Amino acid sequence: MSGLPVLGAGGWGTALAVNAARNGPVRLWARRADFARTLADQRVNAEYLPGVTLPAGLEVTAHLGEAITDAPFVLVVVPSVGVPDLLAALPRDLGVVLCAKGLAPDGGQLSVLARQLGFTRVAVLSGPNHAEEIGRGLPAATVVASRDGGFARSVQAALMTPGLRVYTSDDETGVELGGVLKNVMAVAAGLVDGLNLGDNAKSALITRGLREMNRYLTALGAREETVYGLSGLGDLVATATSRHSRNRAAGEAIARGEHPGQGGKIVEGLRTAGLLDAWAAAHGHDLPIVRAVAHVTRGEWTPGDGVARLMEREAKPEQH
């Protein structure tokens, strides 16, 4: 086999593989052998990305060693909880592009974890990118960020197609954590939708959520212009408003008293809310929307309690 390895055959991994196959050969790795055989035989990922045909240049395998042979870098597109184990199984001379929008088990950045494990070429990919649309070739844009500008440009060249415009950045922290925090804000937006609180409430939630993202990201060294770029504001708008958004749908389900899961698919924002709430408490940071989502998703507050606590906070200037 030869081609760009995409490790993870969920909806996002499949969409990235289909997009990259427009430029050349791709190897899509699926963890389960039976699932890999199904994808190879049926040429469609009916479980995670129905309706999108896998192109001829996309090969599927369940053998990790086979997938990464002779590859200069790989796209790591498994849920954040699975990233540590997958990184541990990869050769350290590989470049890794982290595509999960979540945190490491200790609440830290996955890119930091990758470097701690010995990887020297690390990048993160994030933006307003719904798999359902990118898999179909609808126009979209994303950002690949790395401290290594040459590596970022290599990834850009591999993924940029007529349907996906890829920008580069050296603000690794801003791009990675923007994609993480917007998931929590999207859960909050879903709570607003599920409670039928209206457009005014949702607009205010998104705007104040962006302000909260800015406080968190810049406290960790991100640049403000990144917060207001594709991986921050862009991704927040898409994830908080789209019918495709798993995080928004989870919040809506919670507000209706239903289970937030979607066919066993991981909702990153639910896990992230608790990790970020703990970080804010430990470091003395004010992340009220994160706190409300964390308490609601843990069942400690009702959705109505969360709204009331946000609305009853002390009066202050908008730019406080």
Side-chain angles (χ1 to χ4, degrees):
M1 298 178 73
S2 62
L4 173 67
V6 178
L7 308 182
W12 185 214
T14 303
L16 282 173
V18 169
N19 176 75
R22 297 176 180 124
N23 288 335
V26 171
R27 316 167 211 169
L28 178 62
W29 174 77
R31 180 177 55 84
R32 293 181 282 126
D34 57 339
F35 187 44
R37 285 193 296 271
T38 298
L39 294 180
D41 292 342
Q42 298 182 358
R43 307 305 298 172
V44 65
N45 190 338
E47 185 173 349
Y48 296 106
L49 196 66
V52 176
T53 301
L54 305 186
L58 192 160
E59 299 181 73
V60 185
T61 181
H63 301 287
L64 184 60
E66 186 178 68
I68 65 176
T69 298
D70 297 327
F73 64 87
V74 300
L75 305 188
V76 177
V77 205
V78 297
S80 59
V81 293
V83 170
D85 287 344
L86 182 54
L87 289 177
L90 296 176
R92 301 310 192 257
D93 59 348
L94 269 179
V96 291
V97 184
L98 303 168
C99 304
K101 296 177 180 179
L103 296 170
D106 64 354
Q109 293 174 237
L110 292 172
S111 60
V112 172
L113 173 64
R115 289 195 171 86
Q116 289 172 342
L117 290 173
F119 293 93
T120 58
R121 289 185 301 145
V122 178
V124 295
L125 181 77
S126 192
N129 304 145
H130 288 302
E132 296 85 351
E133 296 179 0
I134 287 180
R136 289 169 172 77
L138 298 179
T142 194
V143 183
V144 58
S146 178
R147 299 176 189 174
D148 182 336
F151 183 39
R153 289 188 292 274
S154 295
V155 179
Q156 178 186 48
L159 297 182
M160 190 144 164
T161 64
L164 182 63
R165 184 164 181 80
V166 182
Y167 292 87
T168 61
S169 170
D170 61 359
D171 187 0
E172 205 172 279
T173 294
V175 170
E176 180 176 5
L177 293 181
V180 169
L181 194 54
K182 60 86 189 179
N183 282 334
V184 182
M185 300 307 163
V187 173
L191 290 168
V192 169
D193 289 340
L195 293 170
N196 296 311
L197 298 181
D199 294 336
N200 290 338
K202 190 165 183 180
S203 176
L205 181 282
I206 291 173
T207 305
R208 296 308 300 173
L210 181 64
R211 186 72 178 172
E212 194 162 314
M213 288 172 62
N214 187 59
R215 282 202 303 273
Y216 171 69
L217 268 66
T218 54
L220 293 178
R223 294 197 296 270
E224 193 167 86
E225 59 263 33
T226 304
V227 181
Y228 294 104
L230 285 167
S231 60
L233 173 61
D235 206 0
L236 173 62
V237 170
T239 313
T241 62
S242 174
R243 70 185 188 279
H244 298 309
S245 171
R246 197 177 300 173
N247 289 279
R248 192 207 60 77
E252 189 172 357
I254 291 170
R256 295 195 303 257
E258 301 170 1
H259 191 276
Q262 292 185 324
K265 298 175 183 177
I266 290 177
V267 181
E268 293 280 10
L270 300 181
R271 171 176 174 268
T272 300
L275 292 171
L276 289 178
D277 186 43
W279 177 88
H283 293 84
H285 284 273
D286 184 28
L287 301 179
I289 298 174
V290 167
R291 183 169 62 253
V293 172
H295 280 282
V296 170
T297 56
R298 288 195 297 257
E300 298 163 353
W301 298 352
T302 67
D305 290 336
V307 173
R309 288 172 184 261
L310 287 171
M311 294 299 292
E312 293 168 3
R313 299 176 73 238
E314 65 175 306
K316 61 183 66 172
E318 183 184 17
Q319 303 305 325
H320 174 72

